[in-house]
Amino acid sequence: MKKLLLSGLALTVCLSAFAQNTREVQSRLIEKVRNRTAPVTKPSETPIIPLRAANPIVSQSRASMVEIPIGSTVYDLQSNYGSVGNRVKNWGDGTVSAVWTKGDQATAYPDRGTGYNYFNGTNWGAAPTARIETFRTGWPNIGGTPSGSEHSISHTPLNVVYRGTKGTGAWTELPGATSTTPVPAVTWPRMVVGGANGTTMHVIGNENANNFYVTYSRSQDGGLTWDLLNITPPNFAQYHFEGSVDGYDIDSRGDVVAFILGGFSESLTLWKSTDNGTTWTTTVVNEFPLAPWDYNTSISDVDGDGVADTIPTTDSGMSLVIDNNGVCHIAVGSTRVLCEATPDVSYFPGTDGLLYWNETMPAGDITNNLIAVLEDIDGSGVIEVPGFGTYQAGLTGMPSLGVDALNNIHLTYSSLIENTTNGNPDPACEESFRNVYYMYSTDGGMNWANPTRVEGSDFDEMVHPNMAKRVDACIHLIYHKDGEPGNTFQPQTGNCDAPGQVDVIYTCITNPVGLNEVKNNVTMNIYPNPVANILNVDFSMVQGNNVKIEMVDVLGKVAYSQSVTAFGGMNNVKVDVKGLASGVYSLNIVSGNEVTSAKVVVR
Ligand SMILES: [Ca+2]
Ligand SMILES: [Ca+2]
Ligand SMILES: [Ca+2]
Ligand SMILES: [Ca+2]
């Protein structure tokens, strides 16, 4: 196990020594025309990754897993800055839905939209050949309600796509461009479905019409209407000049909902609500010293001596998960920023290190909270790579977090593999590959097991890992894999990346800490039955878990649903049935993949 803060201190010195050497002008946001001045390109500095001391975090073991291709895309800009949204939905009954941005018609991609596939408990469907929408979009998120309806939200202007039954049937579209009711005015959205009854849709995204602020919206009817629309989070302007595209993530658990937002030129900020999005508290997880900073009008001078300073900061690749106790956990990549003359801002893609924080830790400066860095695989004491795809992020990043019923925290990320090459004879185009890693913590994030590399090969580019935030016996993970480092929209130098097929891979990483072999053997006793007022549900299970208590009518409609943190041994839950229509119901206790049912008569 690696102690979080100790490793952070040891590695920081190495980072500052090399971060100065590789430098890249911040490129323009893809597909976005901003009013601000475009950054000027400077002569590139030595594009050689700097040398660094041996990495104390090493792991050459490979996770035991099978790669399952579930789709593909040629369009390869899954994120402008490393983060992707909630793209894998673990339904808790053995089924899984997954989405990604899909477009095959280079280079304008008129066919771009949501690639979708579904695991029915036995098999994935055939790889889709087209998007699920009838119009051009992308950057999807997938969520679902307890009744099994599934909902995707995607890009510009916000599009809601849904259907009543997961895995099957036609999708209904609510394109924001033609909607007669107001919809969130955001692009590159992130969405999670939550709330006490599991039917609230929480959306954040980049609001083009309002200085690119990131705003929050809420729908309690699956996206048909929005009772909170384009809300600027409290204190936003204090810490953010604008919102970084794709530099955010969102999660919910019951009535707790939280989102994070950050980027190389701004603070990393957490907003959290315990009343399903009505009111919010603000935590500045990592404070940017110049925030709110407009790098088009002022240089990066922190100490006021008129000379620009290089500022350690976070990149925009980040993940947030809320654990079983309502505690927020955050992972984010690191980078540095320098602006010596306006308008000209640079970041340092050669900066390495994945940062971690949770709400039990001090906030304000997390730039030393390293939990993962580049691996010195051959033990030479230096990292040997000819170059790399930048993704506008750091070298170890693109994190994705999840949590299981025992409150173990799970993490995947992508990191560069030394001594690999794409074999391109042009030095400007020779690059090493990135692979996906997995690690976990059994003590709430204070100590982490050494990372394990996810199956694949040293000579594949494996990026944008994204796990379902609810982990059971599986870490349900998708990632994107192809034979060329980097993407076609953000080449390192020149244009070295031709459009080509990128595979979307699903894998189940077997949860190494507990849940895999446990069968909970839920038994229950309900009384009185028939019932008119309060139904007592006594149930016992082998080990604690988050379970769902449901009342389902004869038509299959979920009339009542309650999430309960249940303990190993005996539990009692009271269900108020006074609001339910008279009739026969099935009372279900859903624990992971297990459903235990009893018949109830309500009169
Ligand atoms: Ca200065
Ligand atoms: Ca080495
Ligand atoms: Ca690629
Ligand atoms: Ca490349």
Side-chain angles (χ1 to χ4, degrees), residues 299-310:
I299 64 172
S300 57
D301 181 16
V302 175
D303 54 13
D305 65 356
V307 179
D309 306 304
T310 300

Side-chain angles (χ1 to χ4, degrees), residues 12 23 43 69 76 141 166 251 301 304 374 384 418 434 451-452 494:
T12 309
R23 180 169 165 190
D76 59 1
N141 303 253
K166 62 187 169 79
D251 192 20
D301 181 16
L374 285 172
E384 295 95 345
E418 70 169 3
R434 293 178 195 242
T452 306

Side-chain angles (χ1 to χ4, degrees), residues 422 429 431 484-486 496-497:
N422 60 355
C429 297
E431 295 167 327
E484 172 60 35
C496 307
D497 295 72

Side-chain angles (χ1 to χ4, degrees), residues 76 391 461 482 484-487 497 502:
D76 59 1
Y391 300 93
E461 182 82 337
D482 74 339
E484 172 60 35
N487 65 47
D497 295 72
V502 179

Side-chain angles (χ1 to χ4, degrees), residues 1-15 52 55-57 354 368-373 439 446 448:
M1 301 289 267
K2 184 59 59 184
K3 187 75 177 162
L4 170 64
L5 295 176
L6 289 180
S7 64
L9 289 173
L11 292 166
T12 309
V13 178
C14 310
L15 283 175
R52 58 168 297 150
N55 178 359
I57 301 175
L354 187 66
N368 289 331
N369 293 20
L370 287 165
I371 56 168
V373 294
M439 62 197 290
M446 299 317 292
W448 290 83

